[in-house]
């Protein structure tokens, strides 16, 4: 397992309010099962749930605790789509397959909704995508294309309507997705763990896979104190997988991203943000935010490819970014107070799509959901469960993407330069639209 990041903190805002049960059992003996799943994030937990629903035997091995990876610390935004833009998917696989991909992403979205609904956990509907430059025709074209090609309806908002709810001159028109929602990321992971417990599926925590090998037709996985022998071994390690994953580790890059949460801000915050919608600006290297706990702001964005910045450093920078959009909230030094700041890792393949499929006979990958895993990791889990149960081969849609090399030591340079280019492009478009 990759060593935990130095500053990666467990004290996220989510953890501060979670009702986390005491640590689960650590694997300290030999276990035999049909399927062993490595990683208790959304991909691994949903896969285990799908197998349990089909009455198939499985265990989950988690290096740390359920949801301590990206899945329990993400922004809480859930809507259809993939980390890769729709247009790029169309260019690569053609329109018909792109529609199938979109429908899969919708199915994953529905899987999240169903679990939250069944547990009566809160979901707040509505995600707003404001433009940071004047772009009425572009947005209307996107809206029509989504309705005509993908049969997915979005709402269009004029600049006045946007500024009526978001008190900033940074935004112009917006598209609003009334079906997308936001929710408590960690709560979903803990609900899934509870479902698995009731179904009798063991989830071993603090049990890191250190090595694996094949014996006959079975796989054997080793942890510090135990081992698992299984017919199917599935890697759901997200961005946290280390060298123990061998060739899979060479097919993705861990990308760090950041979130801050302010202290309660009372009336001034409500005057700036007069909506319960989540907001995700349309920039390619943009920010997303939402009101939580009534009057705190959760604000996310920024990425680094070479490792993690100290949360205090990034908190300062993000607070200044936030003050750039809502200067009314800032103190005289141009900053907004921050109570929680944390980072998390996303696994990204070069093609920006998930890596789902067999690595060898009985050895599967279900990973690399990038920054759009809230809906796509669940459907990834379902596709692998269907394959293991010989129900479908829907996973083979991902053959179009495969497991390309991550670029080795040059990979992070490429990511950083693409990201900076996207930021410059965003700034240029915003600048141009002022004239
Ligand atoms: C800060 C942040 C904000 C985000 N915001 C959003 C958002 O708002 N909406 C959205 O759709 N997506 C968002 N994402 C992306 C989303 O969180 C991820 O795509 C998704 O959670 C990935 O799920 P996963 O199960 O693949 O990986 P993870 O949740 O990272 O789980 C992988 C698990 O594998 C375990 N593991 C690794 N190696 C080993 C080993 N050797 N042995 C045992 N266990 C191991 C890890 O400990 C970890 O628990 C965000 C991500 C981050 C980091």
């Amino acid at each position: 397992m990759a060593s935990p990041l130095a500053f990666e903190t467990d004290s996220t805002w989510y953890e501060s309010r979670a009702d986390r049960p005491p640590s689960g059992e650590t694997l300290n003996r030999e276990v035999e099962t049909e399927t062993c799943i490595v990683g208790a994030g959304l991909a691994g937990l949903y896969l285990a749930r799908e197998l349990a629903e089909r009455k198939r035997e499985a265990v989950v091995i988690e290096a740390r605790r359920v949801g301590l990876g990206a899945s329990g610390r993400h922004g809480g935004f859930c809507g259809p789509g993939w980390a890769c833009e729709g247009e790029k998917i169309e260019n690569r696989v053609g329109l018909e397959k792109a529609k199938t991909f979109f429908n899969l992403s919708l199915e994953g979205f529905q899987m999240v909704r169903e679990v939250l609904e069944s547990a009566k956990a809160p979901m707040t509907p509505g995600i707003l995508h404001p433009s940071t430059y004047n772009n009425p025709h572009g947005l209307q074209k996107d809206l029509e294309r989504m309705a005509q090609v993908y049969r997915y309806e979005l709402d269009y908002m004029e600049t006045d309507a946007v500024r009526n709810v978001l008190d900033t001159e940074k935004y112009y028109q917006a598209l609003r997705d009334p079906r997308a929602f936001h929710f408590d990321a960690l709560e979903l992971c803990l609900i899934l763990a509870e479902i698995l417990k009731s179904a009798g599926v063991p989830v071993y925590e603090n049990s890191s896979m250190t090595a694996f090998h094949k014996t006959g037709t079975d796989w054997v996985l080793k942890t510090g104190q135990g081992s698992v022998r299984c017919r199917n071994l599935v890697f759901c390690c997200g961005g946290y997988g280390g060298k123990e994953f061998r060739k899979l580790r060479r097919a993705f890059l861990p990308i760090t991203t950041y979130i801050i949460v302010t202290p309660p801000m009372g009336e001034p915050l409500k005057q700036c943000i007069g909506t319960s919608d989540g907001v995700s600006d349309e920039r390619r290297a943009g920010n997303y935010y939402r009101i939580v706990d009534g009057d705190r702001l959760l604000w996310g964005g920024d990425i680094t490819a070479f490792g993690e910045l100290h949360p205090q450093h990034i908190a300062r920078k993000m607070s200044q970014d936030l003050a750039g959009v809502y200067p009314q909230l800032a103190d005289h030094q141009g900053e907004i107070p921050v109570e929680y700041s944390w980072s998390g890792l996303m696994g990204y393949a070069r093609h920006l799509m998930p890596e789902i499929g067999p690595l060898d006979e009985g050895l599967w990958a279900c990973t690399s959901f990038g920054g759009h895993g809230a809906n796509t990791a669940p459907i990834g889990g379902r596709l692998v469960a269907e394959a293991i149960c010989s129900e479908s081969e829907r996973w083979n849609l991902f053959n179009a993407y495969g497991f390309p090399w991550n670029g080795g030591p040059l990979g992070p340079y490429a990511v950083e330069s693409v990201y900076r280019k996207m930021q410059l492009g965003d700034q240029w478009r915003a600048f141009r639209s002022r004239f």
Side-chain angles (χ1 to χ4, degrees):
M1 153 93 188
S3 41
L5 294 163
F7 305 118
E8 185 192 292
T9 160
D10 295 349
S11 61
T12 65
W13 168 76
Y14 294 119
E15 291 285 348
S16 73
R17 63 206 297 272
D19 192 10
R20 202 188 251 285
S23 215
E25 196 187 337
T26 298
L27 182 69
N28 55 11
R29 60 201 151 86
E30 284 176 21
V31 169
E32 273 196 45
T33 187
E34 185 189 5
T35 301
C36 176
I37 299 162
V38 184
L42 286 175
L45 294 168
Y46 266 99
L47 167 57
R49 172 178 173 266
E50 292 284 316
L51 290 173
E53 277 180 353
R54 291 164 173 80
K55 309 274 177 258
R56 301 294 282 259
E57 203 189 20
V59 304
V60 181
I61 303 289
E62 167 52 48
R64 296 177 298 162
R65 304 214 49 200
V66 166
L68 261 190
S71 301
R73 58 178 59 232
H74 68 65
F77 284 58
C78 191
W82 302 86
C84 184
E85 284 169 33
E87 206 181 309
K88 285 201 179 126
I89 300 179
E90 285 175 19
N91 290 343
R92 176 123 176 186
V93 300
L95 188 57
E96 283 317 305
K97 279 192 178 165
K99 285 188 203 169
T100 312
F101 269 117
F102 183 76
N103 289 335
L104 277 182
S105 81
L106 262 180
E107 190 178 328
F109 166 75
Q110 198 51 35
M111 288 169 77
V112 176
R113 183 183 283 284
E114 276 163 19
V115 169
L116 291 171
E117 260 168 16
S118 69
K120 298 192 170 46
M123 283 171 277
T124 311
I127 306 285
L128 204 56
H129 301 281
S131 174
T132 49
Y133 66 108
N134 193 22
N135 185 24
H137 303 304
L139 291 194
Q140 270 166 4
K141 227 171 96 190
D142 290 349
L143 176 106
E144 280 160 24
R145 189 163 167 75
M146 283 306 292
Q148 283 164 9
V149 178
Y150 293 99
R151 308 255 168 256
Y152 193 79
E153 307 281 340
L154 298 167
D155 300 332
Y156 175 77
M157 288 169 76
E158 288 292 357
T159 302
D160 284 352
V162 173
R163 292 184 182 177
N164 225 359
V165 287
L166 302 175
D167 188 10
T168 172
E169 293 191 353
K170 293 278 177 197
Y171 298 149
Y172 295 82
Q173 305 79 14
L175 292 181
R176 178 173 187 270
D177 184 343
R179 286 163 73 184
F181 58 87
H182 53 93
F183 68 103
D184 183 315
L186 180 58
E187 188 176 21
L188 175 61
C189 296
L190 298 180
I191 293 169
L192 287 164
E194 205 43 53
I195 292 174
L196 294 180
K197 193 171 169 197
S198 313
V201 179
V203 178
Y204 296 102
E205 294 190 308
N206 303 308
S207 305
S208 186
M209 178 188 84
T210 51
F212 67 96
H213 65 268
K214 198 161 190 182
T215 306
T217 52
D218 288 350
W219 290 95
V220 175
L221 161 157
K222 299 269 182 209
T223 64
Q225 301 169 49
S227 67
V228 184
R229 187 178 176 123
C230 55
R231 181 55 57 90
N232 308 296
L233 176 58
V234 191
F235 294 152
C236 299
C237 56
Y240 289 84
K243 287 192 175 133
E244 68 281 15
F245 291 92
R246 305 206 304 234
K247 76 175 183 192
L248 179 61
R249 178 62 190 83
R250 295 191 290 276
F252 70 86
L253 282 173
I255 305 295
T256 315
T257 184
Y258 304 87
I259 292 184
I260 56 173
V261 174
T262 68
M265 300 192 83
E267 228 11 72
L269 180 63
K270 292 182 192 157
Q271 277 172 13
C272 286
I273 301 171
T275 173
S276 60
D277 284 359
V279 181
S280 175
D281 71 47
E282 101 329 321
R283 287 175 303 167
R284 298 182 66 204
N287 288 108
Y288 55 88
Y289 53 96
R290 59 196 183 98
I291 292 187
V292 295
D293 264 358
D295 63 350
R296 293 174 185 268
L297 191 66
L298 179 154
W299 171 274
D302 279 284
I303 65 141
T304 50
F306 284 105
E308 189 191 29
L309 296 174
H310 193 294
Q312 274 169 12
H313 170 84
I314 197 77
R316 184 137 194 255
K317 183 193 169 289
M318 290 175 84
S319 140
Q320 286 165 350
D321 290 347
L322 166 54
V325 181
Y326 295 107
Q328 316 88 304
L329 295 175
D331 60 21
H332 58 279
Q333 286 175 320
E335 284 180 29
I336 294 172
V338 173
E339 190 169 325
Y340 298 90
S341 60
W342 67 90
S343 63
L345 292 180
M346 306 174 287
Y348 264 103
R350 241 166 63 194
H351 45 57
L352 310 183
M353 285 296 274
E355 300 187 299
I356 298 175
L359 297 161
D360 196 341
E361 213 186 321
L363 180 67
W364 288 82
C366 181
T367 194
S368 304
F369 297 95
H372 215 303
N375 63 317
T376 60
I379 187 64
R382 175 171 286 174
L383 297 186
V384 175
E386 288 176 359
I388 286 174
C389 300
S390 306
E391 255 174 45
S392 93
E393 296 210 337
R394 291 201 290 168
W395 67 267
N396 69 19
L397 203 57
F398 289 87
N399 275 338
Y401 289 96
F403 300 90
W405 181 53
N406 63 10
L410 295 181
Y413 288 99
V415 174
E416 292 264 351
S417 81
V418 168
Y419 188 68
R420 300 300 155 225
K421 224 166 100 190
M422 285 182 345
Q423 281 181 322
L424 284 174
D426 290 336
Q427 284 162 11
W428 171 242
R429 282 185 308 179
F431 173 76
R432 234 181 21 185
S433 78
R434 287 199 222 127
F435 303 100

